[in-house]
Amino acid sequence: MAQLGDDATLQLVRAGVTRRELDVLRCLVERLSNREVAERLSVSVRTVESHVSALLAKLGAGSRGELAALGAALLGDRAARPATNLPSRLTSFVGRARELEEVAGLLGSGRLLTLTGPAGTGKTRLALEVARTTADRYADGVWLAELAPLPEGSAVADRLLAALGGQQVPGRSPVETLVAFVVGRRALLVVDNCEHLLAEAATVVRALLDAAAPVKVLATSREPLGSPGEVVYRVDPLPVPGQGASDLDGVVQSDAVRLLADRARAASPRFRVTAANAAAVAQLCRRLDGLPLALELTAPRLRTFTPDQLTGLLDDRFQLLASGGPALPARHRTLRGAIEWSYDLLGEPERRLFTRLAVFAGSFSLAAAEAVCTDQALARSDVLELLPRLVDRSLVVVDPVGASNRYRLLESLRSFARERLGEATGRSLWRRHAGWFVRVAEEAEPHLRGPDAAGWIATLRQDHDNLVQALEWSLDNEPAVALRLVGALWQFWEDADLRRSAILWAEGALAAGTGPPPARVTALLAASQALRPWEAKRAAPLAEEALTLAERLGDQQLLARARREVAAVRAYNGDVDGAVQPFEAALAHFRSVGDRWQTATTLQTLGLVKDPAEGLTLLGEAHRLFTLERDLLRVANCAYLMAARLVRELGDAGRAEPLAAEALRLSVRQGSEHEQAHARSALAEVWLARGEDARAAELGRDCLAAFRRVGDHRCEGLMLLLLGRAAERAGAAVDALAYLREALGVAALAAHAHTVPVVLDRLAGLLADRDPPVAVLLHAAADARQLGSQPAHLQDPGRGERLEALRRAADPDAFEVAWRRGLQASLDELLGTLDGALDRTGSPAASG
């Protein structure tokens, strides 16, 4: 629902419309029948009928037609528009009518189709065009994952997940996260340029297709993936005119000629294929083997040379390349010849810039090219003059982004150019590249906390491939730069839901070597902050090391940040008393220097440690300060935290609801899936507190899926607890046991000390009649982990009476043994004991 308007989103959420019901509503707006809806969403007709009935009740519509009209009003013209991240088509798609029809047909009957063929045959363009023309088949959209920028050994699953709009999940493998994210989605995933990551791509795609029906994959690669069920379709060069062809009508029917002419007219509008030049154009296309890339590179030359001249220029070069490199396929040699020919036509300054641009991964800005590529041999003014020439020669691609352009080299061209970088020049370029992007990251870092955050996050996303490349290079060559990058990028990773990247890069930078102590402190804090919500025990030594080092440095700002992080980690690990003093010391410093943002952040974290009344006051002040700073993402988070404390700990649903609504409105505006899930989870708690159990459970399941996508184990555990409570109140004891068992496992992983005792008590209540000794043990374990008085609305009024009944029914010695075991048992021991009890009673253990 994140793509809808604020009011529509809130109305649908308040009505309790689930994500699947939203999919059905979109289909109704398109006036599809129940059977058509079922086929699109891969569900039964009966399931569709159930969803339609639920929508009629939730939205108050009197008929199917009225429901469709209401859906159209709420969803606007986005209702029937499939989601996609496919790039805009900047040039026309020429030819390939037969291939388009055949590939679309094969894709319709299979789930994995791989387009193969040598570089330059247009595999990517064909795949994208097929995706565009068949997009209406996929209710959950068509998505492009480009593997070309990834170095060998990179995580293919991470790139596919990012392309689909998912987030990494710490503690879960990339493949598991990807599969969990796409299960049940009717989507097409275009995986481009697999050849350099063939084995990993095949493994990931196989796992995806084994578990994630009805997702389909359209891959491009120079060779098949070798995955079971794969259909391989070879993309050949474009058809060229026959030998000796000179008839104008016959020549212009050739796809190769049509492509060459189209691109030539874009460079020189006066160009035409005529009776006079038709034979020469046909010969030129044949000499280029009909390879689309070679044709694209050649076409701009027709602004300067005639087809006859170009054919003559090609003669010697093709013959020379044909006699060398016999191990390479002929078409590969031809493509290499076309690239080398284009390179040879450049002047020395143009060659110098072209080869230096190969240092970039993905796209780059003009400012980056000027900063990285210049030295005594190439001035900034030269870059400004030469870059347009390289664009004109189709050696650099222009990608319009907002009010400015970004630039990139095609992968084949980048590889060609990198081969021509001298060793000394290459070393200097990699160092300047890393230096530039660490400055980009450090410039962005302070702007990630305020009104301009969304724009800076978008900027860093555009440079993400280059930032990763800078990190990889600096880990091996200049670890101090890696530490600086980690410290500067932490907030970006946090707000962009790339926390697993933060953990991996921070731990890698810390292990790679030493560096300036301030940079190490910042990297330690980044690693601790990334780990804390999911694996708080692993975060503890990092935070403590940061504090020790900051104390030695005497930098009061760093020291205050380290104290706050140590306090937060201690609180997450259950040491609330040990957290208060460093929290208060950090807060005193930030107040004294007038740092509103850091003050608000400290108040926000401290507000979670204090008792509800004081905590709400602190969160309210943080909310006010973040509002003054115009940091809307953190304003939304404060509103959510206040709503959550009100409803979960005080049972005050009335005061909680408007705060949850505010959090939802702001998080939708900021486009944060994580904060939207937070806000909706608070609304689910509100509905549960009001006794609207079924409605709460429906929204809770939706939130649970979102928290799993972003890897928020603490909130995942809270939603499982909510679902367990709802199932328990509905008399579904087996479902309640399954939810609560899973909640305990997740809470243990996240070290969520507040959730654990509540879950243990509720599990004990459900097992009292089924396995009394285990119930006694779980009650004792809950007592041992109780951090304070349990909120009244979470308390079990029958607990005391149940315990007494358990005591009376049991042998006194056996009761005491079970009680002592519970007081001393670790969470791992409790989970093992619980699983044994569930096996004995025939109840299901956790599913995930």
Side-chain angles (χ1 to χ4, degrees):
M1 298 183 189
Q3 296 182 353
L4 306 180
D6 294 350
D7 293 337
T9 300
L10 191 54
Q11 185 173 343
L12 289 168
V13 169
R14 281 178 170 166
V17 174
T18 66
R19 190 177 299 277
R20 179 55 80 187
E21 286 169 356
L22 182 62
D23 293 338
V24 172
L25 185 59
R26 287 193 172 102
C27 294
L28 296 183
V29 172
E30 296 181 58
R31 305 294 176 173
L32 299 184
S33 68
N34 284 353
R35 182 164 298 281
E36 289 171 329
V37 176
E39 291 173 354
R40 174 174 291 188
L41 301 183
S42 297
V43 296
S44 68
V45 173
R46 181 171 295 180
T47 298
V48 174
E49 292 169 351
S50 175
H51 286 317
V52 171
S53 296
L55 285 166
L56 288 167
K58 290 178 180 181
L59 297 179
S63 66
R64 187 186 183 94
E66 185 179 342
L67 185 60
L70 182 58
L74 285 170
L75 303 177
D77 63 355
R78 302 185 191 191
R81 186 185 305 163
T84 184
N85 69 339
L86 297 183
S88 300
R89 190 198 294 126
L90 300 180
T91 56
S92 59
F93 184 82
V94 177
R96 302 282 197 200
R98 175 181 58 82
E99 289 93 332
L100 280 172
E101 181 178 354
E102 290 176 351
V103 171
L106 290 170
L107 195 59
S109 59
R111 295 190 58 219
L112 170 59
L113 177 62
T114 303
L115 306 185
T116 65
T121 53
K123 299 183 293 293
T124 298
R125 285 297 296 267
L126 178 59
L128 293 177
E129 194 64 17
V130 169
R132 290 188 184 99
T133 57
T134 62
D136 58 353
R137 298 180 185 176
Y138 305 98
D140 293 307
V142 291
W143 305 94
L144 170 66
E146 299 182 27
L147 303 189
L150 295 181
E152 290 184 8
S154 295
V156 171
D158 279 346
R159 179 53 63 102
L160 269 57
L161 185 65
L164 286 160
Q167 289 80 31
Q168 302 155 334
V169 179
R172 184 182 291 172
S173 76
V175 175
E176 290 172 342
T177 305
L178 173 65
V179 169
F181 181 78
V182 299
V183 164
R185 293 176 183 250
R186 189 178 183 86
L188 173 65
L189 182 57
V190 180
V191 187
D192 192 33
N193 288 302
C194 300
E195 52 270 0
H196 65 305
L197 298 166
L198 199 65
E200 185 177 2
T203 299
V204 172
V205 167
R206 180 172 183 176
L208 191 64
L209 297 181
D210 283 347
V215 168
K216 295 191 177 189
V217 175
L218 177 59
T220 72
S221 177
R222 294 180 191 177
E223 59 182 296
L225 300 186
S227 186
E230 178 184 30
V231 176
V232 179
Y233 185 94
R234 181 177 177 83
V235 180
D236 292 317
L238 293 171
V240 298
Q243 189 68 35
S246 59
D247 174 72
L248 177 61
D249 291 337
V251 168
V252 297
Q253 294 302 312
S254 159
D255 281 351
V257 171
R258 291 173 57 206
L259 177 62
L260 180 70
D262 181 85
R263 300 302 189 255
R265 282 195 297 274
S268 178
R270 295 182 180 179
F271 178 81
R272 293 287 185 278
V273 180
T274 64
N277 66 16
V281 168
Q283 174 72 353
L284 182 60
C285 289
R286 283 194 299 272
R287 299 302 301 271
L288 292 172
D289 280 351
L291 286 165
L293 179 56
L295 294 165
E296 300 248 11
L297 290 169
T298 302
R301 301 291 150 257
L302 289 167
R303 183 170 49 204
T304 306
F305 304 107
T306 67
D308 274 321
Q309 287 177 306
L310 284 177
T311 301
L313 289 171
L314 288 172
D315 284 344
D316 291 340
R317 286 160 179 78
F318 277 178
Q319 183 61 41
L320 176 64
L321 289 171
S323 63
L328 295 174
R331 289 190 182 92
H332 193 180
R333 295 199 301 271
T334 302
L335 174 61
R336 191 174 184 83
I339 296 172
E340 192 149 19
W341 159 78
S342 187
Y343 177 79
D344 287 344
L345 289 179
L346 299 176
E348 186 55 36
E350 293 167 324
R351 292 183 188 179
R352 186 176 293 119
L353 177 59
F354 172 61
T355 55
R356 293 181 179 199
L357 290 176
V359 75
F360 292 104
S363 68
F364 54 89
S365 65
L366 174 62
E370 290 176 325
V372 174
C373 296
T374 57
D375 56 15
Q376 292 181 343
L378 191 70
R380 285 178 181 266
S381 58
D382 293 333
V383 173
L384 195 61
E385 177 184 354
L386 297 171
L387 185 60
R389 297 187 197 174
L390 296 177
V391 171
D392 285 345
R393 287 158 174 75
S394 298
L395 292 169
V396 174
V397 176
V398 180
D399 290 328
V401 178
S404 63
N405 288 335
R406 290 179 67 83
Y407 308 90
R408 60 184 169 88
L409 270 62
L410 297 175
E411 187 61 25
S412 297
L413 295 173
R414 183 185 296 112
S415 298
F416 178 92
R418 284 189 177 180
E419 291 176 1
R420 281 151 180 75
L421 276 177
E423 185 177 345
T425 302
R427 281 198 304 270
S428 298
L429 277 171
W430 292 116
R431 182 167 286 104
R432 288 200 298 271
H433 178 276
W436 168 259
F437 283 102
V438 77
R439 289 192 293 276
V440 167
E442 289 176 340
E443 180 187 3
E445 192 270 338
H447 297 287
L448 298 174
R449 305 186 294 267
D452 301 324
W456 283 94
I457 289 173
T459 296
L460 292 177
R461 283 189 184 277
Q462 290 168 3
D463 279 323
H464 192 250
D465 288 333
N466 282 301
L467 290 165
V468 168
Q469 181 173 275
L471 277 161
E472 290 173 338
W473 180 86
S474 59
L475 284 177
D476 293 331
N477 296 277
E478 293 188 9
V481 172
L483 289 172
R484 288 172 60 191
L485 278 164
V486 165
L489 289 172
W490 151 247
Q491 196 66 61
F492 162 68
W493 285 323
E494 165 72 14
D495 292 343
D497 290 324
L498 297 171
R499 294 171 190 80
R500 193 161 65 83
S501 289
I503 294 169
L504 294 175
W505 289 118
E507 291 186 330
L510 290 167
T514 58
R520 184 166 182 84
V521 172
T522 305
L524 284 163
L525 293 175
S528 178
Q529 287 171 281
L531 280 165
R532 189 205 320 148
W534 295 276
E535 296 184 66
K537 289 183 174 62
R538 280 179 62 197
L542 299 170
E544 297 291 349
E545 182 186 345
L547 179 59
T548 300
L549 194 52
E551 287 172 340
R552 291 178 193 163
L553 285 172
D555 182 322
Q556 296 304 306
Q557 187 77 354
L558 268 182
L559 180 57
R561 289 176 57 195
R563 283 172 171 162
R564 180 180 63 209
E565 183 59 22
V566 163
V569 170
R570 288 176 182 174
Y572 269 58
N573 282 311
D575 183 11
V576 176
D577 292 337
V580 173
Q581 188 278 328
F583 261 137
E584 292 179 343
L587 183 59
H589 168 77
F590 292 132
R591 286 194 192 277
S592 70
V593 297
D595 190 330
R596 282 198 309 210
W597 193 90
Q598 295 287 5
T599 298
T601 300
T602 309
L603 287 166
Q604 182 183 28
T605 314
L606 183 58
L608 300 179
V609 176
K610 297 288 189 178
D611 64 72
E614 186 176 359
L616 285 168
T617 300
L618 295 171
L619 286 169
E621 186 179 354
H623 181 277
R624 180 181 64 81
L625 292 176
F626 280 135
T627 301
L628 292 173
E629 291 290 299
R630 293 189 292 164
D631 191 333
L632 298 184
L633 200 57
R634 271 153 277 277
V635 172
N637 187 251
C638 280
Y640 151 70
L641 291 172
M642 287 189 284
R645 294 210 72 175
L646 281 165
V647 67
R648 288 174 187 159
E649 298 176 63
L650 300 178
D652 192 341
R655 289 170 62 196
E657 184 172 23
L659 287 165
E662 177 193 4
L664 181 61
R665 176 176 55 81
L666 292 175
S667 57
V668 167
R669 182 184 302 174
Q670 295 298 107
S672 169
E673 181 186 10
H674 196 184
E675 286 307 322
Q676 288 177 58
H678 275 150
R680 289 159 58 226
S681 73
L683 285 172
E685 298 274 7
V686 167
W687 294 339
L688 189 72
R690 289 178 174 164
E692 301 178 61
D693 295 354
R695 189 182 183 196
E698 208 165 9
L699 184 55
R701 283 188 287 271
D702 211 21
C703 294
L704 178 63
F707 288 134
R708 283 173 170 163
R709 282 195 296 273
V710 302
D712 188 338
H713 294 320
R714 293 167 68 83
C715 290
E716 180 185 355
L718 288 167
M719 284 300 95
L720 287 165
L721 173 58
L722 178 144
L723 291 168
R725 290 164 58 202
E728 185 181 355
R729 294 200 320 207
V734 171
D735 289 343
L737 280 167
Y739 281 128
L740 293 171
R741 163 57 182 86
E742 190 172 359
L744 184 60
V746 171
L749 177 65
H752 196 185
H754 292 281
T755 302
V756 170
V758 177
V759 174
L760 287 170
D761 263 339
R762 293 193 174 276
L763 282 165
L766 288 167
L767 287 172
D769 295 330
R770 298 165 181 252
D771 197 326
V774 171
V776 172
L777 183 146
L778 294 175
H779 273 313
D783 278 5
R785 287 165 174 77
Q786 194 61 253
L787 299 178
S789 60
Q790 206 176 89
H793 70 289
L794 292 179
Q795 292 176 8
D796 181 354
R799 184 181 191 272
E801 183 179 335
R802 181 169 57 249
L803 259 177
E804 186 57 34
L806 287 167
R807 186 187 299 274
R808 287 196 305 268
D811 176 80
D813 291 339
F815 184 94
E816 289 304 319
V817 168
W819 189 263
R820 283 196 302 273
R821 277 189 59 204
L823 292 176
Q824 298 168 4
S826 68
L827 277 174
D828 285 342
E829 291 169 337
L830 291 172
L831 289 168
T833 299
L834 179 59
D835 286 342
L838 294 177
D839 287 341
R840 288 191 299 274
T841 60
S843 301
S847 58

